[in-house]
Amino acid sequence: MAEAYIVEAVRTAGGRRNGRLSGVHPADLGAAVLNALVDRTGIDPAAVEDVIMGCVTQAGEQSFAFGRNAVFASRLPDSVPAVTIDRQCGSSQQAIQFAAQAVMSGTQDVVIAAGTESMSRVPMFSNLSLHQKEGIGVGPVSESIAARFGVAEFSQFQGAEMIARKHGFDRDTLDRYALESHRRAAAATEGGAFTDEIVPVLVDGEPHLRDEGIRYDATLEGIGAVKLLQEGGVVSAANASQICDGSSAVLVVNERALKAHGLTPIARIVDMTVTAGDPIIMLEEPLFATDKALGKAGLTINDIDLYEVNEAFASVPLAWLKHLGADPARLNVNGGAIALGHPLGASGTKLMATLVHALRARGKRYGLQTMCEGGGIANVTIVEAL
């Protein structure tokens, strides 16, 4: 079977809720990274055979074939098709895996995997809450689902608390992890670690190039002063991912495309895994998905040089580290979503951009990315930097 290669991986700098990117239409935000891939690789835009766009809240400005609208807003010709997919927080990581499957099968040679989420302009859960407000339907949990699992809803917040209790993490442990995320992100920004992966978005005539969510003056005391999400719990907004506006994209090709278009790969996709488990604790699945992925790839966790584990909540990467016996020094080395933000459908390709560029900057070989997702699902992607 053919190999799948990453030729380029880019992202916008994150925008805080109602921050610098909040004035940018999501389609234009998505177009920025599509254009950047073409500009950086020099590929003929007409050679792109598909755009697979991750987006979670497909409502309002992110509705009506959103991926296709991003193509319309870009410099890609209207002969380039697009599709929008929702695997919750792993949407654009799944886009990478779908793109890789397409080029490995030979049915397509050049595919863009991307993701976009403007959480300022299309608030999280608004595709549900606006229906509830109008009294339309009963919501996503049918009577049969509720009877099967004994819950009226599946809550990521409850899942984060459940993981913390199960693995023995108190609030101080979560807060210390959050502080380290800000410190690493600040150091990475000041050291220029994100320069190669960030593409500018013009805001009032000025390029937006720095992630807005990083708290350079963060302290453990300040993080610890933030109100808990539930009484008696350990999770707060300060030790969870930030609401964020952003987009990201990866150009995925096979060897035939490398030769035909004179492209140079920066990484090879080694393994693609997706698993599912308990939808109530929900966010624990990356632990078990990683076990499976490493087994399939014939690797151990010690073979992996860098890991990107999405910081939806601090309890998730901490549980992952504990379960795998992994090295904390290799985890989210440039900070994670607690500091940099989690633009939902854009986070998969965003983390891949950071992972691949970090591997190459350090002269390392293998990277592993995983993401907890709504419904108790997890994606794992293993890459080899070239």
Side-chain angles (χ1 to χ4, degrees), residues 135-209:
I136 301 173
V138 297
V141 178
S142 69
E143 290 184 4
S144 61
I145 297 171
R148 177 177 176 179
F149 293 100
V151 295
E153 64 176 359
F154 299 110
S155 168
Q156 60 179 322
F157 308 107
Q158 289 296 323
E161 292 281 359
M162 292 172 71
I163 291 175
R165 289 196 299 272
K166 178 176 177 178
H167 293 274
F169 303 132
D170 60 15
R171 178 172 186 178
D172 183 68
T173 301
L174 303 188
D175 287 351
R176 288 182 185 277
Y177 180 91
L179 178 61
E180 181 64 16
S181 182
H182 283 285
R183 287 177 172 170
R184 291 187 182 191
T189 300
E190 296 296 342
F194 297 134
T195 301
D196 290 341
E197 67 196 61
I198 290 180
V199 299
V201 177
L202 287 180
V203 178
D204 298 327
E206 297 292 330
H208 175 62
L209 291 168

Side-chain angles (χ1 to χ4, degrees), residues 43-359:
I43 195 169
D44 178 358
V48 177
E49 295 171 84
D50 207 355
V51 172
I52 306 174
M53 179 71 73
C55 184
V56 172
T57 310
Q58 296 178 35
E61 293 177 348
Q62 293 175 174
S63 64
F64 197 64
F66 174 66
R68 180 68 167 153
N69 288 337
V71 169
F72 290 153
S74 77
R75 296 197 302 274
L76 296 177
D78 58 15
S79 60
V80 176
V83 64
T84 313
I85 63 169
D86 171 15
R87 202 189 280 278
Q88 295 292 278
C89 299
S91 295
S92 57
Q93 185 170 355
Q94 183 61 58
I96 294 171
Q97 297 188 183
F98 280 154
Q101 290 165 356
V103 303
M104 291 169 72
S105 72
T107 55
Q108 294 172 317
D109 296 332
V110 180
V111 179
I112 291 176
T116 303
E117 205 85 32
S118 177
M119 300 179 73
S120 296
R121 298 172 73 98
V122 187
M124 184 168 54
F125 306 131
S126 59
N127 53 347
L128 168 63
S129 62
L130 294 178
H131 281 71
Q132 290 177 326
K133 183 178 179 181
E134 295 299 320
I136 301 173
V138 297
V141 178
S142 69
E143 290 184 4
S144 61
I145 297 171
R148 177 177 176 179
F149 293 100
V151 295
E153 64 176 359
F154 299 110
S155 168
Q156 60 179 322
F157 308 107
Q158 289 296 323
E161 292 281 359
M162 292 172 71
I163 291 175
R165 289 196 299 272
K166 178 176 177 178
H167 293 274
F169 303 132
D170 60 15
R171 178 172 186 178
D172 183 68
T173 301
L174 303 188
D175 287 351
R176 288 182 185 277
Y177 180 91
L179 178 61
E180 181 64 16
S181 182
H182 283 285
R183 287 177 172 170
R184 291 187 182 191
T189 300
E190 296 296 342
F194 297 134
T195 301
D196 290 341
E197 67 196 61
I198 290 180
V199 299
V201 177
L202 287 180
V203 178
D204 298 327
E206 297 292 330
H208 175 62
L209 291 168
R210 288 170 71 97
D211 295 287
E212 276 191 293
I214 304 169
R215 294 183 173 87
Y216 293 86
D217 60 351
T219 64
L220 188 61
E221 293 74 22
I223 291 172
V226 175
K227 183 180 179 181
L228 293 169
L229 296 185
Q230 68 177 46
E231 187 175 351
V234 294
V235 177
S236 75
N239 59 41
S241 58
Q242 291 186 42
I243 288 174
C244 182
D245 304 331
S247 63
S248 53
V250 173
L251 182 62
V252 181
V253 305
N254 56 24
E255 189 171 359
R256 185 165 57 196
L258 291 178
K259 295 176 180 178
H261 300 286
L263 302 170
T264 301
I266 61 174
R268 178 179 70 91
I269 295 176
V270 174
D271 181 76
M272 302 170 290
T273 295
V274 60
T275 69
D278 186 349
I280 298 176
I281 196 169
M282 189 187 298
L283 310 179
E284 195 181 32
E285 191 60 22
L287 285 58
F288 317 120
T290 300
D291 290 336
K292 182 175 182 179
L294 290 171
K296 285 170 55 187
L299 298 170
T300 70
I301 194 62
N302 293 326
D303 295 319
I304 307 298
D305 297 297
L306 296 177
Y307 343 116
E308 285 287 329
V309 180
N310 191 42
E311 294 174 356
F313 300 89
S315 56
V316 176
L318 284 169
W320 185 91
L321 280 172
K322 180 180 176 182
H323 177 80
L324 272 298
D327 181 358
R330 304 184 193 185
L331 172 68
N332 299 352
V333 292
N334 291 331
I338 290 171
L340 297 168
H342 176 19
L344 299 185
S347 286
T349 36
K350 174 182 181 292
L351 294 191
M352 184 58 71
T354 297
L355 178 59
V356 170
H357 287 289
L359 285 168

